[in-house]
DNA sequence: TTGAAAGCGTTACCAC
DNA sequence: GTGGTAACGCTTTCAA
């Protein structure tokens, strides 16, 4: 029953009438590189200003590209997600795009609904930060001429571009750091999200440890959060054989883990326990934590997205891998104890 | 030079052709409460599905409301902002709106550019979370039939609706808590942002203290951030007369302040120093901090926004005030030392 | 219930 | 350099 009067925006026709020129002249005035005489231009601008005219991008999008990019994202409050959204919106804007944010859950149904919205609004491109859209819907997007860019997602879907951080490298490097610190009893903390990224970090870490003849105690807590990190620590240090070196697949998990390890179990970091995280969220650098971790290079990633957008032909089924950057802080000893 | 081929979306006409019906029939099939025979409907849906048709909301928005809401926001990575954006996008979506996020700086020029985008995309409404838009532009939005909702902003602009948290209450209550804890030397930490909200929290706190015959040492650090909180602490405790009770106008400031107070100056909280924050960001509840603070009731605020959107007539020049909720944790002593 | 047609605000294309 | 016109995809009259 939305009997709300639709907004009454001023149109090019109104401006034309007031300026005593044609619609076309108005349009040209607002189109880069169109030829309008200085006199006409001035008249138009004056009328437009007086009336408060603004070009209707919706109507423009009817014939050409809409310049809308949809961002499909879940867990927006998570520091790493918030930064991703921040960087992306910023860079997209700078390249003349406008961002529609679709805040979704990670289940397939929600993500599908998000993709349908993307189609409804004729977005030029859809950037997926969370969840795994069904292949069929991605295909629909693509066959409609839309670009689909998946960030840190598992699948390499036909026709979509993929962009992700090198999780394997982080898994290997995390092991190296802990071993160099002289850690003998390794632990890995992960969440129950079972994202491809998280799973890969875990798998590579465990595998690399096995190659050195070491077994890793894997602890899977609840969702990917600070609280789950706490819970994991309670479980881990409640057991007889406690680890002295731990890789948390996410900074948030690491911070919760550290807090409980120190406060509830009296462990000193890095003396009794070394911890490595992943993401390099802002809090990882706070004085209370000084977490050694891997930075997701968000700016380069966003640049890559913009680049993909500007050169769609390059994008098809391409998979770009970006190296995370190790950030050494104080949660891991620089050498053996 | 954007010679990019525009996306080729499937239109209602194509669906009509395939289904052997008219455009109108297709439109009606996708319009709630329109009368279509079951047979036609089925034919249309089948064709639409086969073709991957999705109603073009851009074209629809040409005649009626666009259902687009623009969110103008700065400092998106700040936990409190991230949560605001999260809650708002969620609730707006639930009420059938789609959110365009415009990530802006707080200077007037950037905010103006954001408002112009809002007009360009024919948003039904603009929600301003950051910065102060010039009155003239707000007027343009409103005269174009757009709704403008300012959240935690200073101005009460003609025709716009305003929504904010009761800063005065927080200032008064913060003083009460510190006094009850027996604090004698009061400090206030703020940033150089000089936002109306921050200024008000400061002013009320200082004034309430004056009413009790106490002088407050005000320290203004850099931008509103963790680092500024650290900087403030270094300055405050470098002086001869250090405070024993501090109100930080923002949690982020408080957390940085606490870290330096404890680690660099060996102060015990709340024994040597009591700290009160504002916002109740997630980190305020972390074990390392346990900050006593005031929660911004984000859900009620977002509900209010949605409500305003659905009943525009109610909105005109209305100013709604929402009470922040005190959250007692461990950074303030429950009673005198 | 259905289809034809008008109109929404643009921009691209054509004449002039 | 300028104005008219078609086209974009939709919803909403209006007749049938």
């Amino acid at each position: 029953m939305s009997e709300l009067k639709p907004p009454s925006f001023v149109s090019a026709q109104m401006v034309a009438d007031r300026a005593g020129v044609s619609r076309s002249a108005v349009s040209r005035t607002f189109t880069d590189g169109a030829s309008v005489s200085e006199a006409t231009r001035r008249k138009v601008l004056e009328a437009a200003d007086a009336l408060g005219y603004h070009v209707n991008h919706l109507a423009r999008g009817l014939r050409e590209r809409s310049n809308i990019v949809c961002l499909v994202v879940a867990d927006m409050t998570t520091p790493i997600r918030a930064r991703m959204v921040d960087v992306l919106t910023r860079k997209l804007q700078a390249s003349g795009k406008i961002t529609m944010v679709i805040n979704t859950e990670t289940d397939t149904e929600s993500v599908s609904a998000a993709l349908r919205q993307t189609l409804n609004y004729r977005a030029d491109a859809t950037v997926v930060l969370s969840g795994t859209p069904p292949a069929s819907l991605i295909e629909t997007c693509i066959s409609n001429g839309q670009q689909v860019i998946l960030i840190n997602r598992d699948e390499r879907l036909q026709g979509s571009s993929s962009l992700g951080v090198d999780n394997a490298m982080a898994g290997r490097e995390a092991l190296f750091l802990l071993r160099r610190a002289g850690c003998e009893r390794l632990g890995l903390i992960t969440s129950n999200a079972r994202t491809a990224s998280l799973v890969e970090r875990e798998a590579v870490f465990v595998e690399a440890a096995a190659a050195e003849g070491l077994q890793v105690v894997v602890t899977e807590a609840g969702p990917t959060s600070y609280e789950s990190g706490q819970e994991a620590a309670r479980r881990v240090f409640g057991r007889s054989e406690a680890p002295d070196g731990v890789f948390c697949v996410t900074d948030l998990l690491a911070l919760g883990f550290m807090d409980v390890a120190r406060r509830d179990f009296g462990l000193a970091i890095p003396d009794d326990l070394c911890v490595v995280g992943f993401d390099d969220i802002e809090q990882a650098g706070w004085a209370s934590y000084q977490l050694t971790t891997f930075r997701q290079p968000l700016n380069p990633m966003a640049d890559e997205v913009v680049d993909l957008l500007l050169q769609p032909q390059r994008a098809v089924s391409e998979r770009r891998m970006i190296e995370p950057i190790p950030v050494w802080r104080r949660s891991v000893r620089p050498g053996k104890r």
Side-chain angles (χ1 to χ4, degrees), chain A:
Chain A
M1 215 56 29
S2 71
E3 283 322 319
L4 304 174
K5 200 172 89 279
S8 53
F9 287 90
V10 3
S11 70
Q13 183 62 67
M14 298 178 184
V15 177
D17 290 347
R18 179 170 178 129
V21 298
S22 69
R23 269 204 303 283
S24 318
V26 176
S27 175
R28 277 192 286 263
T29 302
F30 291 100
T31 318
D32 281 351
S35 67
V36 214
S37 72
E38 205 28 54
T40 312
R41 173 185 205 74
R42 213 181 17 255
K43 275 190 293 181
V44 169
L45 287 178
E46 195 181 321
D49 196 49
L51 259 32
Y53 171 72
H54 292 257
V55 176
N56 185 338
H57 284 23
L58 263 37
R60 170 189 280 176
L62 232 44
R63 301 175 60 58
E64 6 183 332
R65 31 187 50 235
S66 63
N67 282 331
I68 296 173
V69 173
C70 272
L71 225 55
V72 178
V73 56
D75 300 324
M76 281 190 64
T77 58
T78 281
I80 188 68
R81 287 316 169 82
R83 293 204 46 213
M84 280 185 175
V85 173
D86 176 59
V87 173
L88 276 169
T89 49
R90 228 183 256 298
K91 302 242 176 197
L92 286 171
Q93 247 165 250
S95 74
K97 304 288 183 187
I98 182 101
T99 311
M100 276 187 167
V101 172
I102 306 189
N103 192 347
T104 178
E105 305 298 321
T106 49
D107 64 295
T108 306
E109 191 35 60
S110 307
V111 175
S112 296
L115 278 257
R116 270 180 248 118
Q117 279 282 56
T118 252
L119 289 166
N120 284 138
Y121 280 96
R122 295 316 192 237
D124 295 343
T126 299
V127 179
V128 181
L129 294 180
S130 309
T132 306
S136 63
L137 248 182
I138 294 205
E139 233 165 76
T140 303
C141 289
I142 291 170
S143 75
N144 275 319
Q146 205 178 59
Q147 262 185 92
V148 178
I149 301 177
L150 307 175
I151 298 191
N152 281 343
R153 297 309 65 224
D154 7 6
E155 324 274 317
R156 179 209 307 242
L157 271 336
Q158 198 47 250
S160 66
S161 344
S162 231
L163 181 63
V165 120
D166 187 348
N167 294 299
M169 181 277 220
R172 260 181 271 112
E173 189 73 9
L175 180 75
F176 172 78
L177 289 175
L178 293 176
R179 290 296 289 154
R180 190 179 62 180
C183 299
E184 300 287 345
R185 302 182 308 282
L186 301 176
L188 181 132
I189 310 298
T190 187
S191 76
N192 63 10
R194 314 297 317 159
T195 298
S197 299
L198 304 189
V199 169
E200 190 178 9
R201 279 170 222 160
E202 169 186 341
V204 171
F205 182 79
V206 169
E207 203 176 294
E212 296 196 20
L214 291 167
Q215 214 187 336
V216 175
V217 178
V218 175
T219 306
E220 181 182 312
T224 316
S225 66
Y226 172 88
E227 285 77 16
S228 293
Q230 292 188 300
E231 182 204 324
R234 281 188 215 104
R235 273 203 262 154
V236 162
F237 297 112
R239 289 197 283 259
S240 50
E241 184 86 331
D244 61 352
V246 164
F247 178 31
C248 299
V249 296
T250 264
D251 280 358
L252 228 34
L253 289 170
L255 303 183
F257 189 87
M258 288 172 79
D259 272 344
V260 166
R262 283 201 281 224
R263 313 183 91 79
D264 295 359
F265 294 92
L267 296 169
I269 297 173
D271 298 333
D272 305 328
L273 171 72
C274 293
V275 180
V276 178
F278 189 97
D279 277 344
D280 193 31
I281 61 177
E282 205 198 324
Q283 291 74 18
W286 286 6
S288 287
Y289 302 103
Q290 288 293 322
L291 176 65
T292 292
T293 185
F294 297 90
R295 175 175 308 156
Q296 296 213 45
L298 300 182
N299 276 303
M301 286 167 78
D303 286 335
E304 186 64 30
V305 168
V306 170
D307 204 56
L308 247 25
L309 252 41
L310 298 180
Q311 319 186 13
Q313 68 287 358
R314 183 162 96 49
V316 181
S317 289
E318 196 170 336
R319 163 125 190 124
R320 307 279 293 196
M321 185 84 95
I322 296 192
E323 294 275 289
I325 299 160
V327 180
W328 291 286
R329 283 195 275 249
R330 308 261 177 75
S331 64
V332 177
R333 286 185 301 272
K336 293 196 200 301
R337 186 163 25 182

